[in-house]
Amino acid sequence: MTTTRTLTVLAAAALITAGCGGGSEGPGYETQQATPSETTVNAQDMTDQQAPPKRLTIDVMIQGGKVTPTNEQLKAAVNQPIIIRVNSDVADELHVHSNPEHTYKVEAKPGQSFQFTVNVPGSVDVELHQLKKTVATIAVQ
Ligand SMILES: [Cu+2]
């Protein structure tokens, strides 16, 4: 258990050094959250627009049966917005193994984005269930 932890942290650290810095954020990420939300959630959204948002963005490309990235090791904070942007040429199912878990329908089109937060610390796998690939494992602390 301890060994796995250390390896994950090392891999994540290496990725941060090599990784590409924060992407552009545009409007429209909220489209996936169609459910009317409580006032507290709306208040958080407003803060998000004023301060520079601390988001984790994962860009996923699915093309010709290949997925990029796979098995990426990432880190996030509890309640940090995590956005998965997907360009795909095939329908699939994106599964976020958080607690509670999230399932998103991936369609065969570019420019899809799915946003969630993780409230329970732990290791969260992001999987594509049709292609049976793990896109990323997010260490949420
Ligand atoms: Cu799954």
Side-chain angles (χ1 to χ4, degrees):
M1 184 162 121
T2 320
T3 318
T4 317
R5 262 238 161 112
T6 313
L7 282 174
T8 309
V9 169
L10 285 175
L15 271 166
I16 286 164
T17 326
C20 48
S24 57
E25 62 252 351
Y29 293 132
E30 278 75 28
T31 45
Q32 295 294 334
Q33 298 181 324
T35 335
S37 19
E38 302 290 318
T39 33
T40 38
V41 176
N42 287 332
Q44 278 178 354
D45 282 349
M46 283 179 72
T47 327
D48 210 36
Q49 285 173 351
Q50 285 160 356
K54 257 181 61 187
R55 292 170 165 160
L56 173 67
T57 306
I58 309 170
D59 284 301
V60 181
M61 171 74 83
I62 307 167
Q63 204 169 35
K66 284 192 69 179
V67 185
T68 349
T70 52
N71 301 313
E72 185 151 49
Q73 305 288 318
L74 300 168
K75 276 172 144 180
V78 167
N79 291 326
Q80 177 182 4
I82 300 170
I83 297 160
I84 303 179
R85 296 193 290 207
V86 181
N87 293 327
S88 182
D89 64 358
V90 69
D92 206 317
E93 192 179 289
L94 191 71
H95 193 192
V96 179
H97 282 249
S98 51
N99 183 14
E101 59 186 20
H102 304 282
T103 304
Y104 301 105
K105 260 183 131 72
V106 171
E107 296 173 59
K109 63 176 188 183
Q112 304 165 76
S113 63
F114 311 104
Q115 181 175 338
F116 59 92
T117 55
V118 179
N119 318 331
V120 182
S123 184
V124 175
D125 284 333
V126 178
E127 296 175 344
L128 283 163
H129 270 200
Q130 298 304 312
L131 287 170
K132 296 188 165 58
K133 296 279 186 199
T134 300
V135 174
T137 302
I138 308 168
V140 179
Q141 291 164 340

